[in-house]
Amino acid sequence: MTRWVAGLDGCRGAWAGALIDLDDPARWRCGLFPRIVDVLDGPEAPVCAGIDVPIGLPDRVSGGGRAADQAARAFLGAGRASVFPVPPRAAVYAASYDEAKALSRAGSEPPFAPSIQCWNILRYVREADDVLRARPDLAARLHEVHPEVAFFRLNGERRLTAGKKGPARAEGLSARRALLIAAGLPEALVGSAPPPGVGTDDHLDAMAALVVARDIAEGRAEPLPKAIERDSYGLPIVIWAPAPLAGASTHPACREELSP
């Protein structure tokens, strides 16, 4: 049997995906997938998939939010702003942005409202949550990751100087490609053109998620934090980081339990 793994990143109402055969890395494919299940139930049936979306939603938010988000922010240091606060479950399922803001304020202490940027990606959060609650068995295959956590780890736990957007975009994308190749992805995959409808940054973020999925499947990835909480539906609340680079020590955020 082949062992495929996958990485998924939200993209224009669908999912940028990258898949690879662990036993034959020359076999890979990328695509734009309408739904998460189109990947999980697809011909490759990946044994593990990393997805850039919160899994495990709090009924009520207090303090610094989910322990996983606190741990990821501590891990990223100066880049902590890339980890947005996850609003309470009721706000995620709100019918409008105004309703989401009201429900989030009512269900958080201190009260906070999601940004419009957060609201615009909550459809991806709802899809993942719906899938995992309808099919709990998929929780063993679908895992939350964060591209910036992955690239930070792959860069020796140093922040990349150039971003994926803006005037230094070309430099930032080139640096990320180099990190993905150094992490063991085939050059042909990393250098491939994004599928139609997929932006270059989403294409590379899906590959970063793929690296984490590979490390999870091989038992080398690290959870943020180590003590994994669960939401009221039993879904794990954890962000997975790639395996540490050879010779690097484990970051404290991967070792220590943070208070919720």
mmCIF file of all heavy atoms in Angstrom, residues 156-196:
data_model
loop_
_atom_site.group_PDB
_atom_site.id
_atom_site.type_symbol
_atom_site.label_atom_id
_atom_site.label_comp_id
_atom_site.label_asym_id
_atom_site.label_seq_id
_atom_site.Cartn_x
_atom_site.Cartn_y
_atom_site.Cartn_z
ATOM 1 N N GLY A 156 15.513 27.302 11.230
ATOM 2 C CA GLY A 156 16.337 27.250 12.432
ATOM 3 C C GLY A 156 15.774 28.084 13.562
ATOM 4 O O GLY A 156 16.526 28.595 14.411
ATOM 5 N N GLU A 157 14.420 28.198 13.600
ATOM 6 C CA GLU A 157 13.718 28.994 14.609
ATOM 7 C C GLU A 157 14.176 30.446 14.576
ATOM 8 O O GLU A 157 14.412 31.084 15.602
ATOM 9 C CB GLU A 157 13.841 28.358 15.989
ATOM 10 C CG GLU A 157 13.204 26.976 16.024
ATOM 11 C CD GLU A 157 13.154 26.351 17.409
ATOM 12 O OE1 GLU A 157 13.377 27.069 18.401
ATOM 13 O OE2 GLU A 157 12.882 25.135 17.481
ATOM 14 N N ARG A 158 14.294 30.933 13.340
ATOM 15 C CA ARG A 158 14.585 32.350 13.095
ATOM 16 C C ARG A 158 13.518 32.890 12.150
ATOM 17 O O ARG A 158 13.090 32.204 11.225
ATOM 18 C CB ARG A 158 15.970 32.536 12.467
ATOM 19 C CG ARG A 158 17.125 32.041 13.330
ATOM 20 C CD ARG A 158 18.462 32.376 12.669
ATOM 21 N NE ARG A 158 18.552 31.836 11.332
ATOM 22 C CZ ARG A 158 19.008 30.604 11.050
ATOM 23 N NH1 ARG A 158 19.413 29.808 12.019
ATOM 24 N NH2 ARG A 158 19.078 30.191 9.792
ATOM 25 N N ARG A 159 13.137 34.118 12.377
ATOM 26 C CA ARG A 159 12.128 34.741 11.542
ATOM 27 C C ARG A 159 12.711 35.059 10.169
ATOM 28 O O ARG A 159 13.843 35.546 10.068
ATOM 29 C CB ARG A 159 11.628 36.027 12.209
ATOM 30 C CG ARG A 159 10.407 36.633 11.536
ATOM 31 C CD ARG A 159 9.948 37.872 12.277
ATOM 32 N NE ARG A 159 8.732 38.428 11.697
ATOM 33 C CZ ARG A 159 8.190 39.567 12.071
ATOM 34 N NH1 ARG A 159 8.764 40.287 13.043
ATOM 35 N NH2 ARG A 159 7.081 40.002 11.499
ATOM 36 N N LEU A 160 11.964 34.764 9.117
ATOM 37 C CA LEU A 160 12.412 35.128 7.777
ATOM 38 C C LEU A 160 12.350 36.637 7.611
ATOM 39 O O LEU A 160 11.373 37.274 8.036
ATOM 40 C CB LEU A 160 11.557 34.443 6.710
ATOM 41 C CG LEU A 160 11.914 32.983 6.399
ATOM 42 C CD1 LEU A 160 11.377 32.038 7.460
ATOM 43 C CD2 LEU A 160 11.394 32.580 5.028
ATOM 44 N N THR A 161 13.353 37.201 7.006
ATOM 45 C CA THR A 161 13.423 38.655 6.887
ATOM 46 C C THR A 161 12.482 39.199 5.823
ATOM 47 O O THR A 161 12.062 40.351 5.904
ATOM 48 C CB THR A 161 14.859 39.106 6.580
ATOM 49 O OG1 THR A 161 15.301 38.449 5.377
ATOM 50 C CG2 THR A 161 15.795 38.730 7.719
ATOM 51 N N ALA A 162 12.152 38.404 4.828
ATOM 52 C CA ALA A 162 11.276 38.853 3.744
ATOM 53 C C ALA A 162 9.950 38.107 3.811
ATOM 54 O O ALA A 162 9.914 36.896 4.048
ATOM 55 C CB ALA A 162 11.938 38.641 2.390
ATOM 56 N N GLY A 163 8.868 38.817 3.585
ATOM 57 C CA GLY A 163 7.547 38.218 3.633
ATOM 58 C C GLY A 163 7.122 37.611 2.309
ATOM 59 O O GLY A 163 7.847 37.651 1.313
ATOM 60 N N LYS A 164 5.887 37.084 2.296
ATOM 61 C CA LYS A 164 5.340 36.475 1.080
ATOM 62 C C LYS A 164 4.619 37.485 0.205
ATOM 63 O O LYS A 164 4.242 37.174 -0.919
ATOM 64 C CB LYS A 164 4.368 35.353 1.469
ATOM 65 C CG LYS A 164 5.004 34.200 2.200
ATOM 66 C CD LYS A 164 3.982 33.177 2.624
ATOM 67 C CE LYS A 164 3.079 33.704 3.715
ATOM 68 N NZ LYS A 164 2.182 32.664 4.263
ATOM 69 N N LYS A 165 4.419 38.675 0.738
ATOM 70 C CA LYS A 165 3.740 39.723 -0.001
ATOM 71 C C LYS A 165 4.558 40.999 0.116
ATOM 72 O O LYS A 165 5.508 41.069 0.890
ATOM 73 C CB LYS A 165 2.329 39.940 0.545
ATOM 74 C CG LYS A 165 1.446 38.684 0.517
ATOM 75 C CD LYS A 165 0.069 38.964 1.065
ATOM 76 C CE LYS A 165 -0.772 37.697 1.165
ATOM 77 N NZ LYS A 165 -1.057 37.093 -0.137
ATOM 78 N N GLY A 166 4.195 42.023 -0.649
ATOM 79 C CA GLY A 166 4.876 43.298 -0.542
ATOM 80 C C GLY A 166 6.105 43.394 -1.427
ATOM 81 O O GLY A 166 6.363 42.530 -2.283
ATOM 82 N N PRO A 167 6.913 44.431 -1.224
ATOM 83 C CA PRO A 167 8.047 44.697 -2.118
ATOM 84 C C PRO A 167 9.123 43.621 -2.089
ATOM 85 O O PRO A 167 9.857 43.471 -3.065
ATOM 86 C CB PRO A 167 8.591 46.036 -1.605
ATOM 87 C CG PRO A 167 8.066 46.158 -0.209
ATOM 88 C CD PRO A 167 6.748 45.485 -0.211
ATOM 89 N N ALA A 168 9.232 42.879 -0.974
ATOM 90 C CA ALA A 168 10.254 41.831 -0.879
ATOM 91 C C ALA A 168 9.679 40.452 -1.183
ATOM 92 O O ALA A 168 10.255 39.435 -0.808
ATOM 93 C CB ALA A 168 10.901 41.848 0.503
ATOM 94 N N ARG A 169 8.545 40.430 -1.893
ATOM 95 C CA ARG A 169 7.838 39.173 -2.136
ATOM 96 C C ARG A 169 8.712 38.139 -2.834
ATOM 97 O O ARG A 169 8.751 36.964 -2.414
ATOM 98 C CB ARG A 169 6.588 39.457 -2.959
ATOM 99 C CG ARG A 169 5.756 38.217 -3.300
ATOM 100 C CD ARG A 169 4.471 38.629 -4.014
ATOM 101 N NE ARG A 169 3.617 37.486 -4.284
ATOM 102 C CZ ARG A 169 3.664 36.757 -5.391
ATOM 103 N NH1 ARG A 169 4.540 37.082 -6.342
ATOM 104 N NH2 ARG A 169 2.856 35.731 -5.564
ATOM 105 N N ALA A 170 9.416 38.530 -3.883
ATOM 106 C CA ALA A 170 10.227 37.569 -4.630
ATOM 107 C C ALA A 170 11.281 36.939 -3.733
ATOM 108 O O ALA A 170 11.518 35.718 -3.777
ATOM 109 C CB ALA A 170 10.878 38.251 -5.829
ATOM 110 N N GLU A 171 11.924 37.765 -2.913
ATOM 111 C CA GLU A 171 12.933 37.256 -1.993
ATOM 112 C C GLU A 171 12.306 36.315 -0.968
ATOM 113 O O GLU A 171 12.860 35.250 -0.651
ATOM 114 C CB GLU A 171 13.614 38.423 -1.277
ATOM 115 C CG GLU A 171 14.659 37.993 -0.254
ATOM 116 C CD GLU A 171 15.207 39.165 0.538
ATOM 117 O OE1 GLU A 171 14.915 40.322 0.177
ATOM 118 O OE2 GLU A 171 15.927 38.927 1.524
ATOM 119 N N GLY A 172 11.135 36.694 -0.442
ATOM 120 C CA GLY A 172 10.464 35.871 0.556
ATOM 121 C C GLY A 172 10.032 34.526 0.009
ATOM 122 O O GLY A 172 10.188 33.486 0.671
ATOM 123 N N LEU A 173 9.489 34.517 -1.206
ATOM 124 C CA LEU A 173 9.073 33.253 -1.813
ATOM 125 C C LEU A 173 10.276 32.374 -2.113
ATOM 126 O O LEU A 173 10.241 31.149 -1.911
ATOM 127 C CB LEU A 173 8.275 33.528 -3.084
ATOM 128 C CG LEU A 173 6.942 34.266 -2.900
ATOM 129 C CD1 LEU A 173 6.307 34.561 -4.257
ATOM 130 C CD2 LEU A 173 5.984 33.465 -2.025
ATOM 131 N N SER A 174 11.362 32.974 -2.595
ATOM 132 C CA SER A 174 12.568 32.212 -2.886
ATOM 133 C C SER A 174 13.133 31.572 -1.625
ATOM 134 O O SER A 174 13.551 30.404 -1.641
ATOM 135 C CB SER A 174 13.614 33.126 -3.532
ATOM 136 O OG SER A 174 14.816 32.426 -3.782
ATOM 137 N N ALA A 175 13.140 32.325 -0.518
ATOM 138 C CA ALA A 175 13.645 31.789 0.745
ATOM 139 C C ALA A 175 12.794 30.616 1.217
ATOM 140 O O ALA A 175 13.325 29.605 1.710
ATOM 141 C CB ALA A 175 13.659 32.889 1.801
ATOM 142 N N ARG A 176 11.492 30.709 1.048
ATOM 143 C CA ARG A 176 10.602 29.626 1.472
ATOM 144 C C ARG A 176 10.790 28.387 0.595
ATOM 145 O O ARG A 176 10.756 27.260 1.093
ATOM 146 C CB ARG A 176 9.152 30.113 1.473
ATOM 147 C CG ARG A 176 8.862 31.030 2.660
ATOM 148 C CD ARG A 176 7.594 31.870 2.469
ATOM 149 N NE ARG A 176 7.267 32.621 3.682
ATOM 150 C CZ ARG A 176 7.880 33.750 4.047
ATOM 151 N NH1 ARG A 176 8.862 34.248 3.290
ATOM 152 N NH2 ARG A 176 7.533 34.366 5.164
ATOM 153 N N ARG A 177 10.993 28.587 -0.693
ATOM 154 C CA ARG A 177 11.260 27.430 -1.557
ATOM 155 C C ARG A 177 12.543 26.713 -1.114
ATOM 156 O O ARG A 177 12.590 25.474 -1.062
ATOM 157 C CB ARG A 177 11.388 27.880 -3.009
ATOM 158 C CG ARG A 177 10.088 28.343 -3.651
ATOM 159 C CD ARG A 177 10.271 28.551 -5.150
ATOM 160 N NE ARG A 177 9.082 29.119 -5.760
ATOM 161 C CZ ARG A 177 8.890 30.411 -5.992
ATOM 162 N NH1 ARG A 177 9.842 31.296 -5.674
ATOM 163 N NH2 ARG A 177 7.776 30.848 -6.540
ATOM 164 N N ALA A 178 13.575 27.496 -0.796
ATOM 165 C CA ALA A 178 14.841 26.892 -0.360
ATOM 166 C C ALA A 178 14.646 26.084 0.923
ATOM 167 O O ALA A 178 15.225 24.993 1.079
ATOM 168 C CB ALA A 178 15.889 27.984 -0.153
ATOM 169 N N LEU A 179 13.832 26.584 1.835
ATOM 170 C CA LEU A 179 13.584 25.866 3.080
ATOM 171 C C LEU A 179 12.817 24.565 2.833
ATOM 172 O O LEU A 179 13.092 23.541 3.465
ATOM 173 C CB LEU A 179 12.808 26.758 4.056
ATOM 174 C CG LEU A 179 13.562 27.960 4.618
ATOM 175 C CD1 LEU A 179 12.634 28.813 5.469
ATOM 176 C CD2 LEU A 179 14.772 27.511 5.441
ATOM 177 N N LEU A 180 11.869 24.595 1.933
ATOM 178 C CA LEU A 180 11.095 23.394 1.627
ATOM 179 C C LEU A 180 11.967 22.321 0.988
ATOM 180 O O LEU A 180 11.840 21.127 1.290
ATOM 181 C CB LEU A 180 9.922 23.746 0.710
ATOM 182 C CG LEU A 180 8.830 24.624 1.342
ATOM 183 C CD1 LEU A 180 7.870 25.135 0.271
ATOM 184 C CD2 LEU A 180 8.073 23.854 2.424
ATOM 185 N N ILE A 181 12.877 22.726 0.114
ATOM 186 C CA ILE A 181 13.804 21.765 -0.498
ATOM 187 C C ILE A 181 14.748 21.208 0.550
ATOM 188 O O ILE A 181 14.995 19.996 0.610
ATOM 189 C CB ILE A 181 14.576 22.429 -1.654
ATOM 190 C CG1 ILE A 181 13.616 22.753 -2.814
ATOM 191 C CG2 ILE A 181 15.714 21.535 -2.131
ATOM 192 C CD1 ILE A 181 14.230 23.617 -3.892
ATOM 193 N N ALA A 182 15.272 22.078 1.428
ATOM 194 C CA ALA A 182 16.162 21.621 2.496
ATOM 195 C C ALA A 182 15.438 20.668 3.446
ATOM 196 O O ALA A 182 16.066 19.789 4.054
ATOM 197 C CB ALA A 182 16.716 22.815 3.269
ATOM 198 N N ALA A 183 14.110 20.818 3.563
ATOM 199 C CA ALA A 183 13.323 19.943 4.429
ATOM 200 C C ALA A 183 13.051 18.592 3.793
ATOM 201 O O ALA A 183 12.476 17.705 4.444
ATOM 202 C CB ALA A 183 12.002 20.616 4.779
ATOM 203 N N GLY A 184 13.438 18.421 2.522
ATOM 204 C CA GLY A 184 13.317 17.116 1.887
ATOM 205 C C GLY A 184 12.264 16.988 0.818
ATOM 206 O O GLY A 184 12.094 15.888 0.258
ATOM 207 N N LEU A 185 11.566 18.061 0.485
ATOM 208 C CA LEU A 185 10.604 17.966 -0.609
ATOM 209 C C LEU A 185 11.342 17.992 -1.944
ATOM 210 O O LEU A 185 12.354 18.677 -2.085
ATOM 211 C CB LEU A 185 9.598 19.116 -0.551
ATOM 212 C CG LEU A 185 8.643 19.157 0.639
ATOM 213 C CD1 LEU A 185 7.588 20.234 0.424
ATOM 214 C CD2 LEU A 185 7.974 17.806 0.877
ATOM 215 N N PRO A 186 10.851 17.268 -2.936
ATOM 216 C CA PRO A 186 11.518 17.244 -4.242
ATOM 217 C C PRO A 186 11.563 18.633 -4.875
ATOM 218 O O PRO A 186 10.605 19.396 -4.799
ATOM 219 C CB PRO A 186 10.639 16.292 -5.068
ATOM 220 C CG PRO A 186 9.868 15.495 -4.078
ATOM 221 C CD PRO A 186 9.669 16.378 -2.897
ATOM 222 N N GLU A 187 12.683 18.938 -5.532
ATOM 223 C CA GLU A 187 12.809 20.241 -6.189
ATOM 224 C C GLU A 187 11.725 20.434 -7.243
ATOM 225 O O GLU A 187 11.239 21.556 -7.440
ATOM 226 C CB GLU A 187 14.197 20.369 -6.815
ATOM 227 C CG GLU A 187 15.327 20.493 -5.800
ATOM 228 C CD GLU A 187 16.645 20.841 -6.460
ATOM 229 O OE1 GLU A 187 16.622 21.473 -7.534
ATOM 230 O OE2 GLU A 187 17.701 20.479 -5.898
ATOM 231 N N ALA A 188 11.348 19.357 -7.914
ATOM 232 C CA ALA A 188 10.316 19.476 -8.950
ATOM 233 C C ALA A 188 8.987 19.903 -8.341
ATOM 234 O O ALA A 188 8.244 20.693 -8.939
ATOM 235 C CB ALA A 188 10.157 18.155 -9.687
ATOM 236 N N LEU A 189 8.669 19.394 -7.166
ATOM 237 C CA LEU A 189 7.444 19.781 -6.482
ATOM 238 C C LEU A 189 7.519 21.237 -6.041
ATOM 239 O O LEU A 189 6.619 22.038 -6.320
ATOM 240 C CB LEU A 189 7.207 18.870 -5.274
ATOM 241 C CG LEU A 189 6.151 19.315 -4.255
ATOM 242 C CD1 LEU A 189 4.796 19.506 -4.915
ATOM 243 C CD2 LEU A 189 6.064 18.306 -3.111
ATOM 244 N N VAL A 190 8.593 21.593 -5.361
ATOM 245 C CA VAL A 190 8.727 22.946 -4.820
ATOM 246 C C VAL A 190 8.763 23.985 -5.943
ATOM 247 O O VAL A 190 8.233 25.090 -5.800
ATOM 248 C CB VAL A 190 9.978 23.054 -3.939
ATOM 249 C CG1 VAL A 190 10.173 24.477 -3.435
ATOM 250 C CG2 VAL A 190 9.882 22.087 -2.758
ATOM 251 N N GLY A 191 9.372 23.634 -7.063
ATOM 252 C CA GLY A 191 9.476 24.572 -8.177
ATOM 253 C C GLY A 191 8.309 24.533 -9.128
ATOM 254 O O GLY A 191 8.305 25.264 -10.129
ATOM 255 N N SER A 192 7.303 23.709 -8.842
ATOM 256 C CA SER A 192 6.166 23.578 -9.751
ATOM 257 C C SER A 192 5.317 24.849 -9.764
ATOM 258 O O SER A 192 5.265 25.595 -8.784
ATOM 259 C CB SER A 192 5.293 22.384 -9.343
ATOM 260 O OG SER A 192 4.726 22.591 -8.065
ATOM 261 N N ALA A 193 4.673 25.079 -10.899
ATOM 262 C CA ALA A 193 3.780 26.233 -11.012
ATOM 263 C C ALA A 193 2.524 25.980 -10.191
ATOM 264 O O ALA A 193 2.028 24.849 -10.128
ATOM 265 C CB ALA A 193 3.404 26.458 -12.468
ATOM 266 N N PRO A 194 1.990 27.006 -9.545
ATOM 267 C CA PRO A 194 0.739 26.817 -8.802
ATOM 268 C C PRO A 194 -0.373 26.343 -9.735
ATOM 269 O O PRO A 194 -0.447 26.766 -10.890
ATOM 270 C CB PRO A 194 0.435 28.217 -8.251
ATOM 271 C CG PRO A 194 1.746 28.945 -8.278
ATOM 272 C CD PRO A 194 2.495 28.398 -9.449
ATOM 273 N N PRO A 195 -1.241 25.474 -9.262
ATOM 274 C CA PRO A 195 -2.378 25.064 -10.080
ATOM 275 C C PRO A 195 -3.257 26.270 -10.409
ATOM 276 O O PRO A 195 -3.229 27.283 -9.702
ATOM 277 C CB PRO A 195 -3.129 24.074 -9.178
ATOM 278 C CG PRO A 195 -2.109 23.605 -8.187
ATOM 279 C CD PRO A 195 -1.205 24.767 -7.967
ATOM 280 N N PRO A 196 -4.030 26.203 -11.481
ATOM 281 C CA PRO A 196 -4.927 27.315 -11.807
ATOM 282 C C PRO A 196 -5.811 27.684 -10.616
ATOM 283 O O PRO A 196 -6.391 26.814 -9.966
ATOM 284 C CB PRO A 196 -5.759 26.751 -12.969
ATOM 285 C CG PRO A 196 -4.867 25.730 -13.606
ATOM 286 C CD PRO A 196 -4.104 25.107 -12.477
#
